[in-house]
């Protein structure tokens, strides 16, 4: 398994991580099987969040880890917090936010709840889950200091923050922000489109993300790509989707060449970027996970990377 350096720490983590948002769908035995499968393939990082399955995904993981026979230290365990749930806005295992809350009291309570559900003593990393416009810097700083001093959290980061928001937070906290979790993939290429269309006036030249990839590289922050096979936010997967015939044809051509699946090529496409990103896989199907993980061992050529980019409907000026 290819590894990446986490931020500017000495930690090297698997280029592919397991996201457990959908683990709420599994019983403990099946969840333990998923953990063993990914571990056997070199995945050593888990991504969670307190809102996944309204907390039930973390509970399932905690029980599954004990049943799996694996140890706590076999995984770099990460979770996210800061979103207050709205029970009226739920869809299956997805529960949406009612508001964001980065108050010290909420963040400390959130981490305690996460640790209890995961049945672990500490988190390797804790991320603020989407920006809170009411963020009080002094409260976040106090929360981070207390969480670190108590040994409950070792590293910190953010999710879906733009560069100015990262700078603002970093100005107040003593801990280096190591991670920014962002949606990025073959059908979510905004963070690179505008750069390719610099000095143009077409739609792709619009900068929605504030040079977040360039910023992350300059500041040694690891980008974690969520929903790597999705188009839109939660519209569905582009793999084997009749809406994207050219893309699937190109993915299949490369899959045949490298002896893997389309999912693996979509994984390899993200990992080919020199920002040394991580790919977060959200499937709970052991076969699908095995197929997707295989992409970490595929290195696309420059032309192949661009061919996939073009097949997804993009162009160059």
């Amino acid at each position: 398994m290819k590894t990446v350096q986490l931020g500017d720490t000495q930690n090297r983590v698997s280029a592919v991580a397991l996201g457990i948002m959908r683990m709420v769908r599994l019983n403990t035995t099946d969840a333990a099987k998923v953990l063993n499968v990914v571990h056997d393939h070199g995945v050593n990082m888990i991504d969670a969040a307190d809102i996944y399955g309204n907390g039930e995904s973390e509970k399932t993981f905690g029980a599954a880890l004990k049943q799996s026979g694996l140890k706590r230290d076999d995984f770099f365990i990460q979770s996210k917090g800061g979103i207050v749930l709205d029970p009226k806005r739920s869809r299956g295992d997805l529960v949406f936010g009612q508001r964001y809350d980065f108050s010290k009291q909420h963040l400390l309570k959130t981490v305690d709840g996460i640790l209890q559900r995961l049945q672990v003593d500490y988190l390797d990393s804790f991320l603020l889950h989407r920006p809170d416009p009411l963020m009080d810097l002094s409260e976040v700083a106090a929360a981070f200091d207390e969480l670190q001093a108590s040994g409950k959290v070792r590293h910190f980061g953010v999710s879906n923050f733009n560069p100015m928001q990262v700078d603002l937070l970093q100005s107040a906290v003593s801990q280096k922000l190591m991670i920014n979790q962002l949606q990025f993939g073959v059908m979510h290429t905004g963070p690179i489109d505008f750069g390719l269309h610099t000095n143009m006036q077409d739609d792709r030249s619009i900068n929605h993300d504030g040079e977040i990839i360039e910023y992350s590289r300059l500041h040694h922050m690891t980008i974690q790509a969520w929903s790597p096979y999705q188009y839109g936010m939660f519209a569905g997967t582009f793999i084997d989707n009749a809406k994207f015939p050219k893309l699937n044809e190109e993915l299949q051509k490369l899959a045949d060449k490298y002896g893997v699946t389309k999912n693996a090529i979509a994984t390899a496409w993200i990992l080919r970027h020199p920002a040394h990103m991580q790919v977060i896989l959200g499937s709970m199907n052991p076969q699908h996970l095995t197929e997707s993980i295989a992409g970490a061992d595929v290195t696309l050529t420059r032309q192949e990377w661009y061919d996939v980019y073009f097949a997804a409907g993009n162009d160059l000026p």
Side-chain angles (χ1 to χ4, degrees):
M1 164 63 69
K2 175 182 178 181
T3 62
V4 297
Q5 183 178 350
L6 185 72
D8 60 3
T9 72
Q10 297 304 309
N11 293 299
R12 294 202 67 87
V13 290
S14 53
V16 172
L18 177 69
I20 65 166
M21 183 176 74
R22 297 179 178 88
M23 192 166 273
V24 65
R25 302 176 182 179
L26 305 183
N27 59 40
T28 302
T29 299
D30 288 341
K33 180 180 179 180
V34 166
L35 296 182
N36 278 298
V37 166
V38 299
H39 182 264
D40 288 346
H41 286 88
V43 173
N44 68 355
M45 185 157 189
I46 302 296
D47 175 68
D50 62 338
I51 67 169
Y52 291 164
N54 198 12
E56 293 300 317
S57 288
E58 290 181 329
K59 286 184 180 179
T60 302
F61 172 86
L65 181 61
K66 290 186 177 300
Q67 184 170 312
S68 69
L70 297 167
K71 300 181 180 65
R72 162 65 181 84
D73 291 340
D74 287 327
F75 292 109
F76 188 103
I77 300 177
Q78 167 179 287
S79 193
K80 303 181 292 292
I83 299 178
V84 178
L85 296 179
D86 183 353
K88 298 177 182 177
R89 298 179 64 227
S90 63
R91 188 177 75 213
D93 53 333
L94 296 176
V95 185
F96 299 92
Q98 182 181 43
R99 69 177 189 275
Y100 304 122
D101 189 345
F102 289 179
S103 66
K104 177 183 176 181
Q105 179 183 15
H106 181 76
L107 294 178
L108 295 179
K109 180 180 178 181
T110 293
V111 171
D112 284 342
I114 289 170
L115 295 177
Q116 182 178 25
R117 290 188 295 272
L118 293 174
Q119 299 185 50
V120 298
D121 295 328
Y122 68 93
L123 292 175
D124 291 289
S125 55
F126 174 66
L127 312 185
L128 297 181
H129 202 173
R130 293 193 172 275
D132 176 12
L134 300 182
M135 174 175 65
D136 184 316
L137 296 175
S138 63
E139 290 212 21
V140 177
F144 279 16
D145 285 345
E146 187 167 329
L147 290 170
Q148 186 176 59
S150 66
K152 293 178 181 179
V153 178
R154 295 188 172 179
H155 303 288
F156 297 85
V158 295
S159 178
N160 305 295
F161 275 48
N162 66 39
M164 185 59 73
Q165 291 166 332
V166 175
D167 275 346
L168 178 64
L169 179 60
Q170 188 66 81
S171 72
V173 300
S174 58
Q175 300 81 8
K176 175 71 166 64
L177 298 173
M178 300 293 183
I179 298 160
N180 197 353
Q181 196 171 112
L182 306 164
Q183 188 174 13
F184 182 74
V186 173
M187 287 299 297
H188 197 95
T189 56
I192 58 176
D193 293 342
F194 86 94
L196 288 167
H197 289 253
T198 294
N199 202 34
M200 305 294 289
Q201 296 182 353
D202 56 352
D203 289 344
R204 294 187 191 281
S205 69
I206 298 173
N207 181 357
H208 295 283
D209 307 294
E211 301 90 20
I212 189 59
I213 292 180
E214 293 82 359
Y215 176 93
S216 299
R217 295 177 72 182
L218 281 170
H219 292 81
H220 306 289
M221 293 184 73
T222 297
I223 293 175
Q224 297 175 336
W226 57 268
S227 292
Y229 312 135
Q230 300 286 316
Y231 68 97
M233 189 170 181
F234 293 113
T237 179
F238 55 80
I239 304 291
D240 294 327
N241 190 323
K243 293 181 179 179
F244 309 105
K246 291 183 179 180
L247 175 57
N248 278 280
E249 180 181 351
E250 186 64 30
L251 292 173
Q252 188 62 61
K253 182 179 76 173
L254 292 171
D256 292 342
K257 173 184 175 179
Y258 288 102
V260 293
T261 63
K262 296 177 185 178
N263 285 50
I265 298 301
T267 298
W269 188 86
I270 297 171
L271 297 180
R272 180 63 177 81
H273 195 284
H276 303 296
M277 302 180 190
Q278 275 187 303
V279 175
I280 299 177
L281 301 179
S283 175
M284 291 292 111
N285 182 307
Q287 180 180 347
H288 291 167
L289 285 167
T290 299
E291 293 171 351
S292 298
I293 289 168
D297 296 322
V298 173
T299 302
L300 300 177
T301 68
R302 285 176 174 268
Q303 189 59 61
E304 288 167 347
W305 187 90
Y306 274 100
D307 288 343
V308 172
Y309 183 72
F310 296 146
N314 300 301
D315 59 12
L316 297 181

